[in-house]
Amino acid sequence: AQKVTQAQTEISVVEKEDVTLDCVYETRDTTYYLFWYKQPPSGELVFLIRRNSFDEQNEISGRYSWNFQKSTSSFNFTITASQVVDSAVYFCALRANNAGNMLTFGGGTRLMVKP
Amino acid sequence: GAGVSQSPSNKVTEKGKDVELRCDPISGHTALYWYRQSLGQGLEFLIYFQGNSAPDKSGLPSDRFSAERTGGSVSTLTIQRTQQEDSAVYLCASSPNSGVSSYEQYFGPGTRLTVT
């Protein structure tokens, strides 16, 4: 069975602070894919990144960076110099190759960035 | 280009009535998914369509739920004899046919269903 855990249900920061959202996953598959989605107040899930299990390189995109560590089954997401527009619920998700094509989502982390 | 669209955006129905929710995937996307987002259960997979293959219905919570996809494009999720626990946001997603980007799912705005 696949499982994604986002232990932080809610995080509040002040603008310009850095913040890291944690994601821990469980799967028996050796080939899998990890994702982050953003759900702003408007409600639509926005795709942010996909990571393959065989590629442990970290990735940076502007103020966003992702740290994938297979040794700890974690795929953490860091926002540098947070902005009010970053306020949203962030979901980590897993797609395991031998477990169908669906995404298994974590419970989400609500990030509030205050001015 | 146009994203995934869903209609209606909001639906209020009485307990026991049937409802139909519609999803238009991104043009050219062959895979289509339905998920449900509720306060108690988070985001749950419901059903998956890929081309002309038999759908993966493993996430449907009961036989009151069904879905079809006509012509490999538009999909309709039907809930019969709605119950209050069916109240949730129903999300549709689609993904391309090939390449590693086929694993990326692009979501619509959802239909908020309220059963009174």
Side-chain angles (χ1 to χ4, degrees):
Chain A
Q2 334 301 320
K3 187 177 179 181
V4 177
T5 302
Q6 294 180 254
Q8 307 147 308
T9 53
E10 202 166 287
I11 300 176
S12 181
V13 299
V14 176
E15 208 170 19
K16 296 184 185 176
E17 283 185 20
D18 299 348
V19 59
T20 295
L21 310 182
D22 297 333
C23 172
V24 173
Y25 62 92
E26 293 176 33
T27 180
R28 291 183 179 177
D29 273 293
T30 55
T31 301
Y32 52 89
Y33 303 85
L34 296 162
F35 304 82
W36 277 95
Y37 283 84
K38 174 181 180 180
Q39 189 174 41
S42 61
E44 192 160 337
L45 278 164
V46 178
F47 167 79
L48 295 179
I49 189 171
R50 167 184 46 83
R51 211 79 190 123
N52 310 333
S53 56
F54 43 87
D55 181 1
E56 278 193 81
Q57 275 196 336
N58 293 328
E59 184 153 340
I60 298 174
S61 175
R63 296 184 298 106
Y64 295 171
S65 62
W66 291 270
N67 184 348
F68 176 27
Q69 292 198 344
K70 288 177 79 168
S71 60
T72 55
S73 297
S74 65
F75 185 43
N76 296 339
F77 173 28
T78 298
I79 302 174
T80 304
S82 59
Q83 299 176 2
V84 173
V85 293
D86 296 327
S87 297
V89 181
Y90 290 86
F91 290 93
C92 181
L94 165 71
R95 179 193 181 277
N97 233 27
N98 294 318
N101 296 284
M102 73 288 287
L103 295 177
T104 299
F105 285 88
T109 298
R110 180 178 299 277
L111 174 65
M112 292 177 291
V113 182
K114 299 177 182 177
Chain B
V4 177
S5 61
Q6 293 185 246
S7 60
S9 54
N10 279 285
K11 176 73 177 178
V12 180
T13 190
E14 291 180 357
K15 179 181 171 181
K17 302 274 189 179
D18 297 352
V19 295
E20 284 189 355
L21 312 179
R22 177 187 167 105
C23 171
D24 279 274
I26 293 172
S27 178
H29 282 192
T30 57
L32 186 147
Y33 309 78
W34 284 97
Y35 292 84
R36 177 170 71 174
Q37 186 174 23
S38 56
L39 277 176
Q41 302 298 323
L43 271 155
E44 305 171 278
F45 164 77
L46 297 177
I47 188 169
Y48 159 68
F49 295 90
Q50 173 60 277
N52 295 322
S53 303
D56 176 354
K57 305 179 183 179
S58 60
L60 295 178
S62 78
D63 57 9
R64 295 186 296 106
F65 288 71
S66 63
E68 62 177 23
R69 189 176 184 194
T70 52
S73 181
V74 171
S75 177
T76 302
L77 176 69
T78 301
I79 309 173
Q80 296 179 309
R81 305 181 303 282
T82 51
Q83 304 294 312
Q84 287 185 329
E85 61 262 28
D86 299 334
S87 296
V89 176
Y90 289 82
L91 295 165
C92 178
S94 69
S95 58
N97 183 38
S98 60
V100 288
S101 61
S102 64
Y103 303 143
E104 299 164 8
Q105 297 180 22
Y106 296 90
F107 284 80
T111 293
R112 181 175 297 278
L113 175 65
T114 304
V115 182
T116 61

